[in-house]
Structure formats: C-alpha cells, structure tokens
Amino acid sequence: TENTLATPVGITLERYIMRKQSEFAYATGELSQLLRDIALAGKIVNREVNRAGLSRITGAMGEKNVQGENQQKLDVEANIRFVRALTNGGEACAVLSEEDEDIIQTGNVNGKYVVAIDPLDGSSNIDVNVSIGTIFGIYRRVSRIGGPARKEDFLQGGRAQIAAGYVLYGSSTMLVYTTGHGVAGFTYENSLGEFFLSHPDIKIPRQGPVFSCNEGNWFDYPEFVRTFLTTCKERRLTARYVGSLVADYHRNLFTGGIYLYPPTVDKPGGKLRLLYECFPLAFLIEQAGGVAVTGADLVLDVHPTSDLHQRAPLFVGSADLVEELRCKATK
Ligand code: AFP
C-alpha cells in the first residue's frame, strides 16, 4: 500500500507521481507520463463541464454513438480532449473509447501502452448540472512495438491492467487512481490549476450503510437481486442513486456500500461496459479492499469476448455486502 509518511497530504499530483516512480520503478517514467496526460485532459474537461451551462454547449448533437445513445456535445468534447492528450503525450499507441466503434490508433507506434476510456460517463446528467465522470484502464500492449495496436491489446482481461482510475467532476473535481499499490485521491484546486493529494491510501469500509441501484427496474431484476435488496431494506440501509456511475461509486468508496447494475429483462448482459467501466472500477475497488462481481464471478476473472464494447452486470463495493450478494447469486 501507499507509504503515507512519504506522501504527505497536500503535495501536487506531479510530485506524487515523481516520488512513486522512484519508489516502485514503474520504471522509465512512461506510465507516469500517461497519468499526467490523463490529468491534463481531466483539467480541460473540468473547465468545459464547469462552464457548460454558460457556453451553450449542452444539449444533444442529434447524433448517436456506437451504443445507439444520443451524443451530447460534452461527450464529444471530452472524447476529443482525452484522445488528443494521449496522442500528444506519446506513450499510448491506441485508445478504445466509448464514443468510437473502432480502436483509435494514435500514430505513436512506439508507445508501449493502450488506454480504454469512457471520456464522459453519465451523459444524461450533463444537462442538469449533476456530477459526471471519466473512467480509464491502462494496459501494456501485447502487439509488436513499431506497428499498429491490435484488438488483443484491449482484450487481455482486467487483471492485466497496470493502472486504472477515474475523474469525478462533482462539487469538487477529483482524480482517483491505482497502479496496483493502493489507491490515492487528488482534489483539483481551480485557481492554481493543480491536483493535490487529498486522500492517500483510500480503503473502503468492509460494511456500509448504502445501496445504490435504479429501483425503477425492480420488476426486471433477477430473483437473487430482489432478495438481496429486500434484506438491505429490512436492515434499514440507505438508498442513494445519482445515476452517474462514477459519482455513486465514489460516494460508496468513502461511506461504504454497494452499487448494483444487475442484468435486467431488457439488458440480460447488464448495461455497463466491461472494458472501460467494469474492469477499471473493479481493479480500483480491489486495491481499496473491496470486491466487484458480475454475480457469482469476480469481475476481474471475466474473459472478454472479441466485442470491444461488451457489457457486464456489476455489483461493486464493500467486501461484506458484495460477498453477501454473491452468495445469493451462487445459490
Ligand atoms: P448515461 O450515460 O446514459 O447517463 O448512462 C450512465 C450509466 O452508464 C452510468 O453512469 C449509470 O450508473 C447508469 O448508466 C445509469 O443507468 P440507469 O439510468 O439505467 O439507471
């Protein structure tokens, strides 16, 4: 886990990355550069999100993305910003984005990494000034350096991620990430334009008071989910659901709790995307001492199919709550 003595609260993300680089030798600094690139794009998107209501850039563009959903201008904007930052940074040879059907080759053929990203998740919340987020997972490529990236680079499975995290554009903007040595959270200081370490070594409580799901889907949930939710209510747990995955996940990470996006009658495979939503958040929750399952199985044990935009059910959060749900799924 992170050595909190060596990483005092208040140091900048830049300094933190430099320290960690020398401690863990995530060696040549390339991964560090990637994290900087993501932080830079996060700052730019934060600026756009903040002034969204002012600059008349909210609202649907009248186009649909690969999932058939209406694209928002901010979705497009965020996608452009992240892809550009990762392209200019030079370390990522390719990006898989929620907004694009195919892999985006950055042209950095010597880059050793690929990044799977949901540039702006929770798009239905954009126009109503509710928290939204960016989610990312990073892999070392398995294709030949010097050539184009291949699908296989993104289909290595969640355990192959070398870093993952999210940016939450909320009442304050935070970057939370892991490189497999615990989880650290940084809060953005607007006037200085810097992320500062505010939450070193984040751990999710084993138990928690919150359950988060779209209860409007109750009649479409499988029996084991309804049984579990009934026990949550019998114990008087608190219901909290923003409808932005990053926001719901982030709250539960601190308070303890469980987030559920079960299979439904309409979406038997779940709604959330495996490669750029479930895998990164599963890696991060395990690093924080929590658990993520698709039902009976750990999310990180799922073998991806060849579909880059595949979906999976997601139950994630405090270890005791998720294990209780998992037991019911196994019966
Ligand atoms: P949108 O981008 O369509 O708002 O979906 C957001 C999301 O992927 C995730 O952020 C939410 O947790 C989840 O979907 C909400 O889905 P429901 O509206 O079906 O509850």
Side-chain angles (χ1 to χ4, degrees):
T1 60
E2 307 288 348
N3 178 352
T4 49
L5 286 179
T7 53
V9 168
I11 64 168
T12 62
L13 174 66
E14 182 63 27
R15 189 165 287 267
Y16 179 88
I17 286 175
M18 272 160 54
R19 285 193 191 188
K20 291 297 153 186
Q21 193 177 311
S22 54
E23 269 175 47
F24 297 124
Y26 43 83
T28 54
E30 293 153 344
L31 177 57
S32 303
Q33 184 54 44
L34 256 183
L35 293 168
R36 285 190 195 99
D37 298 337
I38 288 172
L40 172 63
K43 288 181 193 178
I44 297 170
V45 171
N46 173 64
R47 184 189 66 194
E48 303 304 329
V49 167
N50 267 286
R51 66 184 190 193
L54 292 171
S55 54
R56 295 166 166 263
I57 58 172
T58 55
M61 275 184 103
E63 287 174 12
K64 291 193 184 294
N65 67 12
V66 287
Q67 270 81 30
E69 299 156 337
N70 282 331
Q71 273 188 332
Q72 308 291 323
K73 283 189 178 176
L74 267 182
D75 294 22
V76 178
E77 177 79 18
N79 194 35
I80 292 168
R81 297 298 184 173
F82 276 98
V83 172
R84 193 178 293 162
L86 291 167
T87 301
N88 293 343
E91 312 299 348
C93 60
V95 179
L96 167 67
S97 164
E98 192 206 13
E99 301 297 330
D100 294 281
E101 180 109 43
D102 296 320
I103 298 170
I104 304 157
Q105 304 283 351
T106 60
N108 302 321
V109 289
N110 292 321
K112 293 184 187 144
Y113 301 94
V114 297
V115 180
I117 193 161
D118 185 349
L120 209 56
D121 185 62
S123 47
S124 59
N125 279 328
I126 292 173
D127 280 351
V128 289
N129 199 8
V130 171
S131 301
I132 44 186
T134 298
I135 309 172
F136 62 91
I138 302 176
Y139 300 82
R140 194 180 285 271
R141 73 189 292 185
V142 288
S143 56
R144 189 179 56 80
I145 291 180
R150 298 166 60 86
K151 248 180 150 178
E152 291 68 41
D153 294 321
F154 292 96
L155 298 173
Q156 300 178 54
R159 295 209 183 276
Q161 290 172 108
I162 55 163
Y166 61 84
V167 184
L168 169 64
Y169 312 97
S171 47
S172 53
T173 290
M174 283 190 70
L175 169 66
V176 179
Y177 79 87
T178 182
T179 55
H181 302 279
V183 177
F186 301 81
T187 303
Y188 185 60
E189 218 294 1
N190 246 314
S191 59
L192 298 174
E194 291 269 19
F195 282 102
F196 288 91
L197 179 65
S198 49
H199 299 79
D201 199 17
I202 298 169
K203 293 289 176 214
I204 183 169
R206 281 199 71 84
Q207 264 295 352
V210 174
F211 67 98
S212 313
C213 65
N214 185 342
E215 268 203 85
N217 293 330
W218 176 270
F219 294 109
D220 296 332
Y221 285 162
E223 197 51 45
F224 76 89
V225 174
R226 283 194 263 179
T227 311
F228 173 79
L229 289 173
T230 303
T231 63
C232 291
K233 293 176 189 181
E234 284 165 356
R235 282 183 273 158
R236 303 296 189 271
L237 265 59
T238 297
R240 289 283 182 272
Y241 191 67
V242 176
S244 276
L245 175 57
V246 174
D248 283 308
Y249 178 96
H250 183 80
R251 181 200 50 246
N252 293 0
L253 181 60
F254 286 92
T255 62
I258 181 169
Y259 171 93
L260 311 90
Y261 211 106
T264 60
V265 173
D266 277 1
K267 301 185 180 81
K271 177 185 183 189
L272 303 174
R273 286 66 166 190
L274 183 63
L275 300 190
Y276 40 80
E277 293 184 311
C278 303
F279 273 164
L281 296 181
F283 180 30
L284 197 134
I285 210 77
E286 286 199 3
Q287 285 294 316
V291 178
V293 298
T294 57
D297 301 317
L298 291 173
V299 171
L300 293 181
D301 287 340
V302 173
H303 296 291
T305 65
S306 60
D307 176 6
L308 294 167
H309 298 281
Q310 65 202 275
R311 298 170 192 267
L314 179 65
F315 306 94
V316 60
S318 293
D320 289 354
L321 281 169
V322 179
E323 288 298 352
E324 193 184 322
L325 177 285
R326 189 183 188 191
C327 279
K328 292 188 166 38
T330 330
K331 273 182 194 157

